[in-house]
Each structure stands twice: as structure tokens, then as C-alpha cells.
Amino acid sequence: MSTTLSTRTLNRTLLARQMLLRRTDMPVVAAVEHLGGLQAQAPIPPYLALWARLEPYDVDALSKLILDRSLVRMTLWRGTLHLISADDVFLMRTALQPELDKWAKTVMPPATRVEIDLAELARIAREYVDSEPRAVAEIGTHLAPHFPGVRARELSTQAQMLVPMVQVPPRGIWGVGGVPQNLAMATWLGRDLPSEAALPEVITRYLRAFGPATLADVQAWSKLTGLKAHTAGLGLVEYRNEDGKVLLDVPDGVIVPEDVPAPARLLPSFDNVLLGHADRRRIMSEDARARWGAVRNGVFPPTFLVDGFVHGTWNVVESKDTATLTIQPYFPTVEEDLADVVREAKAVLKVMAPTKEHVVTERPA
């Protein structure tokens, strides 16, 4: 019989593997690789995701690694922008490319869908972004004359799915703005994707960062299907959750007891620890999930953890001289736990607005 792991045991184990149980001194590139990349739809979240996990930590170190091409920002999991190591691009984007190719076919709404030659679209787009960085609007404008009846915005989205592109600096650099510019990945990194994907390695990497987990969890994270066939020969061990579902894990995966204390943590929007499972009860209650997911346009707010689970959201508003971080609990919070959240809030303000006066406020649950 497989050992049954409680939800709290899965919580503590996930926090440990995500470096949220205690901060570590792991090098930045190694941390990004271990975590399987970081959500990067906006420039700031990857910096805050690493701040929550690493100590010591310097935002400039991450910026330098993007500038020297050790880390890149590109379309990956779930068709969204991620920060990933240059080496991992060739593992992860190769594995995800077949799904991205499928999604490119569904970009246009069914009512206005026009059948076009996606291979030709990819060829034209690749040639256009091969020599110099292009803004998304420029890519769409360039493609539009070749595909009459299709909106430029939809064409540019399809191009980003079909053609591996890097969103090049200065976009993504701490404290630097600018319109996103895309360049062919092969031009930026000097080589193209391999012809075959190493799916067993992708599964193993996921489990080291998010396991133990069901195959449904792996699929929710990656959107890849047919994964069971690739687990053979990996020597995975099996557990069960409280619902009796089979959880897979790497043989050397450490299981953390449920009574290990978990510190308060502030997480950025879209943190992968919240998105990495089909069953998210190991990190948020159903009530918290309903509140967290009740957002417009899928723009999830930054969250904070109390006792290892999502307990509410937070946001920062800056004026000329002041940065105010507001804590919005979902549930009543005991004084000791709130003090821990406030301590983390003051620390993150030192990172986000080091030269301004800092104010932390709380709204009632």
C-alpha cells in the first residue's frame, strides 16, 4: 500500500521544494532552473519571486544575467511569458512547442476564424525577427498584408506561439521601461531548438520543484498530454493524497513533516507555486482559490502566505515620496501572524522602493 500524505504534509513539502520554507543561497540561474522558470508577464514578478526565496539577494544580479543572456524571457508554459535559463530553453521550449503549435490554431475566435497557412506565417515571422528586435505591433503589421482578413494582433500572437522569440532587454531589467521587443531565439542564443523533446526529464524536473504530484498536476502545469508513457524507467515512487489519488515523486524526494513551521511569505502575481497543480488545495483552500480567481482578465493579484497557505492579497501604491503596501486578508488573522506578514511587507518595500518612505496598512478581512 502507498503511504498517504496529508494536505499539510504536501504543503510543507511543496514549500521546501519551492524554497519558501526557508530562504537559500542558491545561485540565481540554478534557482530559476530548479523552479522550472518564473512567470514573467510583467517585468517585476520574477524579481519578487526570487526575493521570497533567496538570501542574500540582489535585484541587479538578476538584471545582469538577463543582459548577458544567461536568462531569457520568452513564451513558454500555458502560452505565457516566462523567465528561464538559456540552457533550459532547449529542454522546455522543445517540449512545449507541439502544444504551442496547437494553440496557434485557436487564437482567432471561432466566429471570425480564417484558415491560414501557419507554416507560411511562421516562415515570414521568423525572417522578420531574425535580424533585429521587433515590437509585437510591428510583427502584426508586417504579417497582415500576407493574410488578408486576419487582425494584426491575432497574427502577432500566433507568431509568438509558432516562432521561438526572446523578449530582449531593456524590457525585463529592474527599473528600466520600454516597449517589448522580440528577436528570434536562435539569433539571441546562437542555436536552434533540438529536433526531439526530452519529456522524461521535463517530468522529473517538475516533480523536484512541485512534487509529489499527480499526472493531472503535471499536465496542468505544462498542458502536455500523454505523459504516462514517459514515466516508465524513471524509477518514480508512489504516494497517495487524502482523496486516494496516486502521487508520483522522484526517488530521492524529501517529504517534509506537516508540523514543520512555515513562515509568512509575500508572493508576486502569477507565482508558479499557485499555478503548478490541478489540485491547488496544498497551497490554498477552496475559499481562498475562489477569491483569488475572481479577477478580471486573468490578472491574478500578489498574495501572501500564513502557515503555508494563501491567506490574502497585497499591493503597493507609490507616490513621489512614499510607497504604501496594503495587506488585504481573506480571513481573520491573529496578531502574531499579522506581525510576521508586516515584517515581510517592510522587507519587500526596501527592495521595491528603497529611497522612499515606507507605509504598511491592513484592510479588514
Side-chain angles (χ1 to χ4, degrees):
M1 293 290 292
S2 302
T3 300
T4 297
L5 303 179
S6 69
T7 298
R8 288 185 65 85
T9 296
L10 291 172
N11 171 265
R12 294 317 196 246
T13 300
L14 174 63
L15 294 178
R17 297 189 188 189
Q18 285 283 311
M19 298 181 281
L20 291 168
L21 205 55
R22 60 182 60 86
R23 288 180 168 92
T24 77
D25 60 358
M26 187 181 292
V28 171
V29 173
V32 173
E33 290 182 339
H34 170 76
L35 294 166
L38 299 171
Q39 289 271 356
Q41 287 99 313
I44 299 302
Y47 290 89
L48 299 185
L50 291 176
W51 168 82
R53 292 166 166 90
L54 302 182
E55 193 173 37
Y57 176 64
D58 179 6
V59 294
D60 290 336
L62 176 52
S63 292
K64 290 175 182 176
L65 291 166
I66 296 173
L67 288 168
D68 73 12
R69 309 189 188 195
S70 298
L71 297 171
V72 298
R73 301 171 77 241
M74 67 184 304
T75 299
L76 287 160
W77 293 273
R78 302 174 294 278
T80 60
L81 202 66
H82 278 70
L83 180 76
I84 189 172
S85 79
D87 288 339
D88 269 2
V89 166
F90 303 97
L91 170 66
M92 299 300 186
R93 177 76 190 218
T94 304
L96 297 172
Q97 192 58 59
E99 290 304 309
L100 294 172
D101 290 345
K102 293 177 185 177
W103 294 347
K105 299 176 182 178
T106 62
V107 167
M108 288 180 279
T112 60
R113 189 167 296 164
V114 177
E115 292 297 326
I116 62 175
D117 187 338
L118 292 179
E120 180 67 1
L121 186 154
R123 183 190 68 77
I124 297 171
R126 170 64 186 267
E127 289 180 353
Y128 188 60
V129 300
D130 198 47
S131 57
E132 63 180 277
R134 311 286 189 177
V136 171
E138 292 177 324
I139 296 171
T141 299
H142 179 77
L143 291 168
H146 300 274
F147 303 96
V150 184
R151 291 179 291 189
R153 182 181 180 86
E154 292 167 351
L155 292 168
S156 64
T157 300
Q158 289 176 306
Q160 291 174 87
M161 299 288 183
L162 296 168
V163 180
M165 305 179 197
V166 172
Q167 196 177 97
V168 300
R171 186 71 171 177
I173 301 303
W174 185 265
V176 181
V179 176
Q181 300 274 334
N182 295 278
L183 183 69
M185 179 220 70
T187 302
W188 187 251
L189 296 181
R191 59 190 175 111
D192 220 326
L193 297 179
S195 57
E196 295 186 5
L199 289 178
E201 184 177 353
V202 173
I203 295 170
T204 299
R205 293 279 295 277
Y206 169 84
L207 292 174
R208 291 194 180 282
F210 295 94
T214 65
L215 283 176
D217 291 324
V218 188
Q219 183 175 339
W221 170 75
S222 66
K223 298 304 180 186
L224 298 174
T225 58
L227 294 171
K228 187 174 183 179
H230 298 282
T231 61
L234 294 179
L236 300 179
V237 296
E238 291 187 1
Y239 301 98
R240 291 188 182 273
N241 64 14
E242 292 176 343
D243 293 336
K245 293 182 178 179
V246 173
L247 305 171
L248 301 177
D249 199 15
V250 290
D252 58 346
V254 176
I255 304 300
V256 180
E258 64 177 33
D259 59 353
V260 171
R265 288 287 184 260
L266 268 65
L267 302 177
S269 55
F270 300 105
D271 197 289
N272 270 342
V273 74
L274 307 182
L275 299 171
H277 298 87
D279 182 353
R280 299 174 185 170
R281 288 177 295 175
R282 70 181 67 197
I283 192 68
M284 65 175 80
S285 67
E286 291 296 338
D287 188 7
R289 179 173 180 171
R291 298 188 189 198
W292 175 74
V295 294
R296 295 181 179 179
N297 302 320
V299 181
F300 300 110
T303 58
F304 66 90
L305 308 181
V306 169
D307 189 32
F309 293 85
V310 171
H311 200 80
T313 62
W314 62 276
N315 73 292
V316 173
V317 176
E318 295 188 43
S319 63
K320 180 181 178 182
D321 302 313
T322 304
T324 301
L325 189 152
T326 301
I327 299 165
Q328 174 65 73
Y330 289 152
F331 319 108
T333 311
V334 301
E335 186 174 342
E336 183 179 354
D337 288 337
L338 181 60
D340 290 340
V341 175
V342 170
R343 191 177 301 113
E344 286 286 292
K346 290 178 178 178
V348 79
L349 282 174
K350 292 179 181 179
V351 175
M352 298 183 70
T355 64
K356 296 183 177 182
E357 179 185 355
H358 300 154
V359 177
V360 177
T361 64
E362 179 203 355
R363 292 176 181 166

